[in-house]
């Protein structure tokens, strides 16, 4: 059985394993986990059987219960499971079961708590014992720390990439032309959908190459990133109201054009919150009007760089505007 995945983070299978191991104090670090699962032929639509075999190699002794299962008999919580909810099968972490309530760490929907009769557990890992190879884990942690530092050094900011006039022009243009609509995220079949992972509003400026000011911005971005203008996508303006956010995600896609790099330009700074965060490297930056933040999304093999995982923290007061400038392969 291969569960389907929500593609805004088509790495959820890996993140589930990482989350699970982290709760048990196995400090293998994300790099080792991700690398191992990337080698699976089915990734990112990885089967729980593959995860089970990998855990066995890592010294996590368990049984893979197949379905339908009575999750209340699990020996250790949290545990990983494939569950069916309203005809959709997903890989999730079951944090605990209390009475008739099942608590999930469920990455492709907003809800996290379900009545026992609202879902069917098809498979789950019945954990028995965890053995930690400290030497192995420490080596992986050192390797990961080195790569984190190297990636952090590649991130750079350009102050006053846009002038105040250019920032205001872009905001006014999108507002006056009613371009903003609810932000969407990609799905496995190449379509898009609204989710709680991204609660902002977006405006694609499809006529940007016919507008002198926008065309100049594209040329400036191409010069900065040392690419031809044909590799710069149409500009996207985003608006975040109070409480709105974009949970950590990758900018590239599994299908279609892959985004090699991102240039994120802040169009205002008269609000609170809204920091850009990179959880894998413990890095964040507070927006400054006109500043551009540049970072790489893909490695030399054009696979997603785990360290490029980033998100927009919730705006706590005011309204945030920014411009996404993506550079594709």
């Amino acid at each position: 059985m291969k569960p389907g995945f929500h593609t805004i983070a088509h790495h959820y299978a890996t993140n589930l394993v990482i989350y699970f191991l982290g709760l048990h104090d196995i400090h293998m670090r994300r790099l080792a986990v991700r690398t191992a699962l990337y080698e699976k032929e089915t990734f990112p639509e990885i089967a729980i059987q593959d995860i089970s075999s990998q855990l066995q190699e890592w010294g996590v002794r368990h049984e893979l219960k197949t379905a339908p299962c009575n999750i209340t008999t699990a020996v250790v919580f949290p545990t990983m499971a494939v569950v069916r909810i309203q005809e959709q099968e997903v890989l999730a972490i079951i944090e605990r079961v209390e009475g008739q309530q099942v608590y999930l760490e469920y990455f492709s929907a907003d809800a996290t708590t379900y009545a026992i009769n609202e879902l069917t557990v098809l498979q789950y890992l019945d954990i028995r014992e965890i053995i930690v190879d400290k030497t192995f884990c420490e080596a992986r942690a050192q390797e990961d720390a080195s790569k984190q530092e190297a990636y952090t050094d590649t991130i750079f900011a350009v102050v006053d990439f846009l002038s105040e006039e250019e920032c205001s022009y872009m905001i006014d243009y999108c507002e006056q032309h009613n371009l903003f609509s609810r932000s969407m995220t990609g799905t496995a079949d190449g379509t898009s959908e609204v989710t709680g992972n991204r609660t902002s509003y977006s405006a694609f400026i499809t006529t940007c190459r016919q507008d002198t000011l926008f065309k100049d911005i594209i040329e400036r971005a191409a010069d900065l990133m040392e690419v031809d203008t044909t590799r710069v996508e149409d500009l996207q303006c985003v608006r975040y109201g109070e409480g709105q956010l974009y949970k950590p995600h990758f900018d590239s896609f599994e299908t279609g054009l892959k985004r090699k790099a991102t240039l994120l330009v802040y169009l205002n700074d008269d609000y609170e919150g809204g920091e850009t965060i990179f959880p894998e490297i413990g890095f964040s930056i507070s927006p400054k009007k006109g500043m551009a933040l540049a970072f790489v999304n893909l490695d030399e093999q054009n696979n997603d760089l785990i360290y490029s995982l980033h998100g927009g923290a919730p705006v706590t007061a005011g309204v945030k505007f920014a411009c996404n400038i993506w550079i594709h392969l």
Side-chain angles (χ1 to χ4, degrees), residues 85-189:
I85 302 174
Q86 296 178 346
E87 304 307 317
Q88 182 183 16
E89 294 178 10
V90 295
L91 184 66
I93 291 174
I94 297 181
E95 291 192 334
R96 65 188 187 279
V97 176
E98 293 181 355
Q100 296 299 306
Q101 297 295 309
V102 180
Y103 293 81
L104 299 184
E105 183 71 25
Y106 174 49
F107 291 93
S108 61
D110 297 330
T112 57
T113 306
Y114 293 86
I116 197 77
N117 60 359
E118 291 182 305
L119 57 78
T120 302
V121 178
L122 302 176
Q123 295 174 294
Y124 77 89
L125 298 171
D126 196 6
I127 308 301
R128 302 290 175 175
E129 184 181 9
I130 298 174
I131 302 171
V132 179
D133 183 338
K134 292 185 178 180
T135 301
F136 173 80
C137 293
E138 289 173 359
R140 297 290 76 76
Q142 290 176 0
E143 176 188 6
D144 197 19
S146 176
K147 292 190 176 184
Q148 283 186 52
E149 183 178 358
Y151 181 78
T152 303
D153 288 342
T154 67
I155 300 174
F156 66 92
V158 179
V159 178
D160 297 328
F161 177 78
L162 295 186
S163 67
E164 287 196 19
E165 292 73 21
E166 289 171 326
C167 291
S168 297
Y169 181 88
M170 183 175 293
I171 294 172
D172 292 343
Y173 182 93
C174 294
E175 294 278 24
Q176 292 169 8
H177 288 81
N178 297 315
L179 297 183
F180 284 108
S181 60
R182 184 70 159 76
S183 296
M184 305 183 80
T185 55
T187 61
D189 60 6

Side-chain angles (χ1 to χ4, degrees), residues 13 17 28-29 34 52-53 68 88 92 94 107 112 149 154 193 196 204 229 253 281 301 311 325 328:
V17 176
M28 292 179 62
R29 304 302 300 235
R34 189 174 297 278
S52 176
S53 63
Q88 182 183 16
I94 297 181
F107 291 93
T112 57
E149 183 178 358
T154 67
E193 65 182 9
F204 280 99
T229 55
F253 296 109
I281 58 177
Q301 289 72 46
I325 305 178
H328 61 69

Side-chain angles (χ1 to χ4, degrees), residues 60 74 79 105 107 128 167 176 196 201 230 272 281 286 300 308:
V60 181
T79 188
E105 183 71 25
F107 291 93
R128 302 290 175 175
C167 291
Q176 292 169 8
Y201 283 74
T230 57
E272 296 177 10
I281 58 177
S286 297
E300 294 180 355
S308 72

Side-chain angles (χ1 to χ4, degrees), residues 161-175 180 203 205 213-214 217 220 235-240 263-271 287-293 319-325:
F161 177 78
L162 295 186
S163 67
E164 287 196 19
E165 292 73 21
E166 289 171 326
C167 291
S168 297
Y169 181 88
M170 183 175 293
I171 294 172
D172 292 343
Y173 182 93
C174 294
E175 294 278 24
F180 284 108
I205 309 175
L213 185 145
F214 292 148
I217 292 174
R220 198 181 313 160
L235 305 177
Q236 183 196 61
C237 186
V238 289
R239 183 184 69 199
Y240 294 81
L263 197 61
L264 177 60
V265 188
Y266 304 107
L267 303 180
N268 70 321
D269 53 19
D270 54 342
Y271 57 90
K288 182 178 180 181
K289 187 174 184 178
M291 181 176 71
L293 182 70
V319 180
K320 169 187 174 181
F321 289 92
C323 175
N324 288 311
I325 305 178

